[in-house]
Every structure is written in C-alpha cells, then in structure tokens.
Amino acid sequence: MAEWLVEEGIGESRAVYVHSERILAACLEWHGQVQPGWVVDARLASRAGGSPRGTVLVDGEEVLVDRLPTSAAEGAVIRIAITRAAFAGPGRFKRAQGRPSEAQLARPSLTERLAATGTPSKTVRRFPVSGWDELVDEALTGTVAFSGGTLWLTPTPALTAIDIDGDLPPARLAMAAVPALADALRRFDIGGSVAVDFPTLEAKMDRRAVDELLARHLDGWPHERTAMNGFGLVQIVARATRPSLLQRASWQRGGLVWRRLLRRAEALEGPGIVELAIAPALRAQVVQAHIEELERRTGRRVRLIDTPALAFDAPHAQLVSDDRHAP
C-alpha cells in the first residue's frame, strides 16, 4: 500500500511517499517557519490605500496577503489561510502568502496535512525504507543518473531548469530520460515553472512520442505543460507551496547539510558522547537549540568539533568515549 511516512526531525519535518519500499515522492519543511495549510489570526501590518494586497505578521514572519476586504484597515486582526511558504532565493526573498479565511484556527502538522489529501499518512520515528540520504545527495549535486544519460537540475529564481545529457542517439536519449524526469519532479517536490531541455528532435513523430510518454508518466501529478517544440524544449507548470529539495540544496545548502548531520547523529547506537565534526564554514549553520534537542532525544552529551579537513557538505557524526579528549 502506498502511504506517506513522516519523520519529525530536529529543525525539520521530512516526508516520503512510499510504495513497495521505494520512495516515489518526498517533501521537506523547516521548523520555525509559516507553513501552507495553517489558518491563523494575524494583525494587518500594512496596506497601500484600497489595494486588495497587504502584509500581516505571523510569529514574527511577514506574510503577503491578497483578496483583502475593503473594510480591513491597518491594525485590524484578520483570519488568514496560508497558501504558500516563504522561498529564499539568491538575491531575493519571496514572502509566504495567504488570503482571508473563515475556517477554524489550525496549525496542522505535516502528517495531518498530507492525510487531508486522502492518502494514508503516519508519523514514524525512522523511515523503514532506505533512500533519504541518497535523495539529499542527488539534490546537493543537482544530478540524477539514468540508463544512458543524466539529468542536470538547476533552480533559478524564475524557474527550475532541467537539462538532459547522454551518449544515446537523440530520440532514444529523450525517451530514456522521461521516467527519470517524472520521478525527479515528484521526489524533489518541484513546483512552479520548469523548463526541460530535451535533445533536439527533427522528426515530429519523435517529438510526439516523447510527449505521449511524458503524459503517461506524469498522469496523476497536477500540472500543465506544453508540447515539445522544434528545439526540444518542454515547459511544465505545477503549483508550488514550499521550497523544493533542490531549492533548499542550492540556496540554503548549509541548513540542509546541518539538518542531515543531526538526523545521522540521532540514529547512532551505543555508548559514548555524540561528536559532530564539521568544516569551519558550516559553523554559521549551527543552532544551539538543535544541539540541545539532540541531547534530549539521545540522552547523550554532544560535542562539536571544527575539522578543516572536512568538506562543507561532508560533516561526520560518531560516538566517542568520554575520555577521548580528556587532558
């Protein structure tokens, strides 16, 4: 049976949609941020004249609100349904979005929101299937290998660009890339505008075959798309309610690496102190509250060690004896 499994991690909630022990889709949310699906009361902080748009503050985070009633004045408390989380991109910050609502106040967890879609969902201490670390690795490298080629995925502030590269003849390469492309869109939780650069196919019959195969593999995934043009370009548009794993890996890389280290540290078994070895450049991502939560969950002391020899993306967690660093 296909179902959503959710880990409530330290600093984040991560979810995988699993069927036959395979991750078909995934999503990631960081704690301390406004999440889509929440319904909250917030004070209207700003509004330009009679504009239907304004901003409210939710837990100190600024949320852009549209469809404001004409009667809503600055300082008024209004009920807001959050429709999109904030996106932090290079050189720009897209605020969370919401709109007025009459629904009951609610801050449902990720598990509850996934269950509301009609798919079985449950919270687990640890995913019973492998693949999360490999998924994060793919996001960090921006590459997905498939038989005969590679997808190169690059998020930009405007869209996610996906380039298809390989040694197969163009028509075969395009067809071979489709299953990997469809999987990547779901597994990385990609939304918004997506530009896919397939190999240029001269024959309309070949382009039509790719379009038909893409339609089959994306069936059931809400989106709109164009037919492949003569240059091999396909545009896909899907609703985006939170940053994709690719966007986290590209624009908030340190935070993603730090949280993955905490997940690995939490899973360590045996006696000793938890030692977290990190590159000095990763120190800026360290959150003391996260370390305290790791100590609470594991019942162990945590020691943080700056290790210049380590790569930024390759911190290490291990258990060491209490006297290892004794004078």
Side-chain angles (χ1 to χ4, degrees):
M1 179 184 68
E3 61 181 345
W4 279 103
L5 304 176
V6 181
E7 286 184 357
E8 290 296 343
I10 300 173
E12 67 180 8
S13 298
R14 43 195 173 259
V16 293
Y17 183 61
V18 175
H19 181 61
S20 298
E21 299 187 350
R22 180 169 173 259
I23 296 176
L24 302 181
C27 62
L28 178 67
E29 293 183 348
W30 285 1
H31 300 165
Q33 298 176 341
V34 172
Q35 303 298 348
W38 286 8
V39 179
V40 298
D41 284 341
R43 193 173 300 278
L44 186 59
S46 66
R47 182 178 188 175
S51 169
R53 296 166 66 89
T55 60
V56 299
L57 288 177
V58 179
D59 299 339
E61 181 179 341
E62 196 172 71
V63 177
L64 184 63
V65 181
D66 64 1
R67 303 185 186 181
L68 286 169
T70 55
S71 59
E74 289 185 9
V77 175
I78 55 177
R79 184 155 295 182
I80 299 297
I82 306 299
T83 57
R84 194 194 73 181
F87 285 65
R92 64 187 298 188
F93 180 79
K94 294 183 178 180
R95 292 169 290 187
Q97 294 182 358
R99 59 188 49 164
S101 172
E102 296 181 355
Q104 291 185 341
L105 292 173
R107 297 193 182 205
S109 67
L110 180 56
T111 303
E112 292 168 334
R113 282 177 277 133
L114 291 171
T117 65
T119 303
S121 307
K122 65 182 180 182
T123 303
V124 296
R125 184 178 180 276
R126 195 79 174 175
F127 293 143
V129 297
S130 61
W132 178 260
D133 268 356
E134 292 77 8
L135 183 60
V136 174
D137 282 336
E138 287 180 327
L140 289 170
T141 61
T143 60
V144 175
F146 61 92
S147 180
T150 305
L151 302 180
W152 296 85
L153 304 99
T154 307
T156 75
L159 53 80
T160 298
I162 302 179
D163 184 45
I164 296 168
D165 188 25
D167 298 327
L168 297 174
R172 286 180 56 196
L173 178 60
M175 295 291 280
V178 167
L181 169 64
D183 285 349
L185 292 172
R186 295 178 172 96
R187 292 188 303 115
F188 291 131
D189 195 23
I190 297 174
S193 183
V194 182
V196 186
D197 187 14
F198 282 94
T200 300
L201 304 180
E202 300 290 346
K204 288 185 178 179
M205 180 177 63
D206 290 338
R207 297 199 296 271
R208 188 180 305 114
V210 174
D211 288 335
E212 292 173 352
L213 185 62
L214 196 56
R216 291 198 296 272
H217 279 272
L218 290 180
D219 184 41
W221 186 65
H223 73 288
E224 296 180 2
R225 69 180 182 281
T226 64
M228 180 186 290
N229 66 18
F231 301 101
L233 185 66
V234 173
Q235 185 172 10
I236 300 172
V237 179
R239 186 184 179 202
T241 59
R242 59 183 157 253
S244 70
L245 269 71
L246 280 176
Q247 290 168 325
R248 295 282 193 198
S250 295
W251 305 336
Q252 297 171 300
R253 193 177 193 89
L256 184 64
V257 170
W258 167 247
R259 286 164 174 80
R260 180 166 71 161
L261 176 64
L262 295 173
R263 180 177 187 264
R264 290 173 171 174
E266 189 179 356
L268 294 173
E269 296 181 355
I273 294 173
V274 177
E275 183 177 271
L276 304 179
I278 64 172
L282 191 59
R283 172 72 70 163
Q285 302 298 326
V286 174
V287 178
Q288 183 58 35
H290 291 172
I291 294 177
E292 294 170 358
E293 178 65 10
L294 179 59
E295 290 180 328
R296 188 192 68 78
R297 292 190 181 198
T298 62
R300 303 185 181 98
R301 289 195 294 122
V302 175
R303 177 185 294 135
L304 198 62
I305 304 293
D306 283 339
T307 310
L310 285 177
F312 182 82
D313 292 346
H316 180 65
Q318 64 179 345
L319 294 174
V320 300
S321 62
D322 290 356
D323 60 354
R324 176 168 168 173
H325 293 280

